[in-house]
Amino acid sequence: MTPSWRKPVGAFVIIALILIWCVAVASLSRIVGQWPALVQMVFYVFTGIVWILPLKPLLRWMETGRWGLPKG
């Protein structure tokens, strides 16, 4: 059985997504830093969780070669 090329490509995409997301959130720090502390906390908790959403289809593609769930 030959190894799949999808896993290394998927790992690279995951790392790229994390880096892009970190830069995007960090670029907002000047604006977010002016908000009340509780609102900042909610913002950073939300942005710390929301980056995980695109990972499920990506991980499914890495394992199966399909983006969506199988029909049937």
Side-chain angles (χ1 to χ4, degrees):
M1 187 167 166
T2 60
S4 172
W5 58 270
R6 289 188 309 265
K7 289 188 181 184
V9 170
F12 177 77
V13 170
I14 289 171
I15 292 169
L17 273 172
I18 292 170
L19 287 173
I20 291 167
W21 190 250
C22 288
V23 169
V25 171
S27 70
L28 296 173
S29 66
R30 181 172 286 166
I31 297 167
V32 175
Q34 298 173 358
W35 298 351
L38 187 59
V39 177
Q40 287 182 43
M41 183 189 72
V42 169
F43 173 79
Y44 285 120
V45 167
F46 176 76
T47 56
I49 293 172
V50 96
W51 70 270
I52 298 170
L53 296 176
L55 290 185
K56 189 171 184 175
L58 179 60
L59 292 171
R60 185 180 305 121
W61 173 78
M62 287 169 63
E63 289 295 321
T64 65
R66 289 187 227 118
W67 287 102
L69 293 172
K71 299 189 192 260

